[in-house]
Amino acid sequence: MQGAKSSVKHTERKWIYEEIVDRVPPFSWLPPTFDVLAQLMLVETIGIAAFLYFEMPIESAIYGTLAILYTVVWSAGCLYVIPWLRRLRDPTNEEERKVLRAYKNRLLMDRRYELAAGFACFAGVYVYLVLNADILQPLLGAGFGNPLLVLLLAVLAWDVCYRIGLSLVTTFFAAKRSIELSQAARKRRGLKYTAYSEVRTLKSLDSVNLYWAASAVLLLPLASVAPLLLYGLAAFLGLVLALSAISLLAMETVPWFPPDVESILDNERFAYVSLCEKRQAHVTPVIFVYDGKYLYFGISLASAKYRKIKKNPNIAVLVDLRDRNNIMNNRAVMLRGKALILGEITPIGLFRLYLHGLWMLRVRSMFSRKYPRYMKYYDTQVSELPLAWQNKPFVSRVMVRVEPERITYWREARPQVLRV
Amino acid sequence: MFVARTHKARTIRTKEIPEEALRILKSSFFSYLGTSEPGCLPHLTAMFYVWHDSSKSLYLFTTKGSRKISNIRRNTRVSLTVDERNAVSPAANRGVMIQGRAMMIEMELVDEMITLEFMEKYIKFLDAGYPLGNRIAIRITPRVVLYWRGIQFYRWKNPDV
């Protein structure tokens, strides 16, 4: 019973392409990676046979091969993306969970959209080619008008159009999901959130849409035979790029942590940094800022922290809300992860400066907004302090960026581990 | 390259634990205990503590199943920071960092005076749902006590360890 249930679940979420690969004999015998190659071989053999039989000009062979190559490259992406989508874990925030579930269902269970988009694309191309049959005349040579060849062409055209339609649909759904997710994320409460690793996975899956669009460039020579096809392809590429950009921007606004954690990181003024060298722990207080993703603090080049981070970048940072009167109000967040030193004058430091320089300026201004008095102290007392403790970037101070890998949140003296 | 490394932090070595450091240890409320997991991965928790003056050691009380206990079982080298923070000027920030060995003691074997002192210090917390059962005490013997006031550092090394 259990097995039957899981197999039902397994067969439910499939794209038509996967279904074909699973059912039709030569493909169903092979592992998925070979399916793609087998598909390439099969279609290419038929194409070459037609090319030889009808004595077509050499361009048509090249165009045809490119079209087949497109379908194959696309399929490879498809095989990569679907297992990942199934593996996504659910957010703890109910609203975000609904958004992601609806997204997965639309993508994997509902065929209407992909078929409609593919069919619209196919119908457009088909009608256009039937009305302007003279475009095909030079390409097909002697075989022009042969019903078998028409069928072969129709199958190939459907294959290509279905994939174009599906890429368009998936990109559209991705953009829709990103916008809904960022809206749902704004309504988070307490410790409810979507683990950032899932957001990152979704983002990298979205880049597969771009990969599909990029693989459509293979169709450019074929589309260049008729201006309208070329415009159509350009419109497709433009649309995918625009939707992907919208999707990426919306995903960037999804916060990394649940609001309870964020409020501590935003409002508390002191953090404790723990480092480890030769199995000996080392704990010191620092001032810090949090930019929504990473935590930053400044250290002196003369400090023990700098020396220790250079040797072992593993770091734990604890930010807590203290209340001497009520234990229920005491909360703490510990972020564990890797520290990255920014602002060193070394080859790799200069490269990081090139990557993060503008953001470092922003972090610096966040520091002066959060700690105006500290910054004023460093500005006015500059001549009295020894150089090691002056707030001079590059000369005496560097910035440390902490990338959280694990979060622990304490409330009422009880720890709770959150996934990043 | 041309990074200025000649400017070392000035640290003054002292014969005794500085008076000021003892005052902070006695009067502060929260401490931060750093332990390390295997592979030298740091772990950090906020904790209640009492300073025991005559044995120059520090006592913490925690639950047996916690992560810090399992860390200390594997690696007794810990670090603990107690500080007074000042939001106005960094020059007024002062604090104490202790690096030393941690030792676990069953609750029944801990000196009663220390338990009483702990109860007295955190009386407000202990009756408000503070988990009392299944407890164990940690005693930290300092190897190094580092005290700082603004940018001035004082370091005391325990001659007995």
Side-chain angles (χ1 to χ4, degrees), chain A residues 131-251:
Chain A
L131 290 181
N132 304 283
D134 46 327
I135 296 169
L136 291 175
Q137 181 96 55
L139 280 179
L140 298 183
F144 183 70
N146 187 307
L148 267 177
L149 194 61
V150 168
L151 189 71
L152 180 68
L153 274 184
V155 167
L156 193 60
W158 163 253
D159 235 17
V160 170
C161 288
Y162 166 69
R163 285 171 164 85
I164 286 184
L166 185 52
S167 336
L168 206 57
V169 165
T170 54
T171 320
F172 176 73
F173 283 157
K176 187 170 179 316
R177 174 220 59 209
S178 303
I179 292 168
E180 284 173 353
L181 193 69
S182 85
Q183 277 170 350
R186 261 171 246 160
K187 293 178 200 144
R188 287 178 188 172
R189 291 265 179 280
L191 284 176
K192 303 276 185 276
Y193 74 127
T194 309
Y196 193 71
S197 55
E198 311 301 323
V199 177
R200 198 163 14 198
T201 310
L202 284 172
K203 265 202 241 172
S204 63
L205 288 183
D206 287 357
S207 67
V208 172
N209 287 326
L210 285 176
Y211 160 84
W212 280 337
S215 65
V217 170
L218 284 173
L219 297 173
L220 265 179
L222 182 61
S224 62
V225 298
L228 206 66
L229 291 182
L230 201 60
Y231 296 149
L233 193 64
F236 163 71
L237 288 177
L239 211 55
V240 168
L241 279 180
L243 285 172
S244 299
I246 290 173
S247 173
L248 189 71
L249 286 178
M251 285 306 252

Side-chain angles (χ1 to χ4, degrees), chain A residues 85-103:
Chain A
L85 265 181
R86 293 210 181 95
R87 233 174 285 156
L88 272 183
R89 267 168 290 190
D90 281 338
T92 51
N93 187 9
E94 187 57 33
E95 235 169 288
E96 286 167 79
R97 202 169 65 90
K98 269 187 209 150
V99 168
L100 285 194
R101 188 151 287 182
Y103 169 66

Side-chain angles (χ1 to χ4, degrees), chain B residues 43-55:
Chain B
H43 185 271
L44 191 57
T45 40
M47 292 192 74
F48 297 149
Y49 74 98
V50 280
W51 171 255
H52 191 231
D53 220 7
S54 56
S55 66

Side-chain angles (χ1 to χ4, degrees), chain A residues 12-25:
Chain A
E12 257 176 356
R13 291 194 167 172
K14 272 191 178 175
W15 282 350
I16 296 173
Y17 167 72
E18 276 192 297
E19 203 108 299
I20 293 170
V21 162
D22 268 14
R23 297 257 169 92
V24 182

Side-chain angles (χ1 to χ4, degrees), chain A residues 268-285 287 300-303 306 308 310 312 314-318 320 322-328 330 332 334 336 338 344-347 350 371 373-374 377-378 384-389 394-396 406 408 410 412-414, chain B residues 1-5 7-10 27-37 39-46 48 67-68 74-91 93 95-100 124-126 128-131 143 146 148 150-153:
Chain A
E268 292 312 308
R269 306 176 63 81
F270 294 91
Y272 294 83
V273 170
S274 177
L275 297 163
C276 181
E277 186 191 22
K278 292 179 190 156
R279 303 184 72 224
Q280 170 67 62
H282 175 96
V283 182
T284 38
I287 56 171
S300 164
L301 282 169
S303 67
Y306 177 72
K308 284 171 203 264
K310 289 296 262 186
N312 178 5
N314 291 313
I315 192 168
V317 183
L318 183 112
D320 68 336
R322 285 178 181 183
D323 190 336
R324 267 175 175 244
N325 300 317
N326 185 359
I327 189 176
M328 295 303 170
N330 279 298
M334 177 173 56
R336 276 180 286 177
K338 292 262 190 304
E344 278 177 305
I345 309 290
T346 55
L350 288 173
Y371 303 98
R373 286 172 164 169
Y374 271 46
Y377 168 85
Y378 280 120
E384 289 166 31
L385 290 170
L387 187 57
W389 305 119
F394 312 121
V395 178
S396 61
R406 281 184 289 173
T408 314
W410 281 273
E412 296 161 22
R414 280 178 196 88
Chain B
M1 302 219 3
F2 52 90
V3 171
R5 282 178 198 232
H7 311 283
K8 286 245 163 174
R10 268 182 296 170
S27 64
S28 280
F29 210 67
F30 296 93
S31 70
Y32 298 87
L33 175 72
T35 54
S36 54
E37 291 176 18
C40 220
L41 298 172
H43 185 271
L44 191 57
T45 40
F48 297 149
R67 174 54 68 93
K68 40 200 173 284
R74 294 201 189 94
N75 178 1
T76 55
R77 292 176 169 205
V78 298
S79 172
L80 183 129
T81 293
V82 181
D83 70 330
E84 285 181 354
R85 359 197 239 201
N86 190 313
V88 179
S89 157
N93 276 331
V96 182
M97 182 179 75
I98 292 173
Q99 289 188 323
K124 276 187 188 157
F125 288 72
L126 296 178
Y130 188 76
R143 188 168 50 82
L146 194 73
W148 66 88
I151 55 163
Q152 194 61 55
F153 289 81

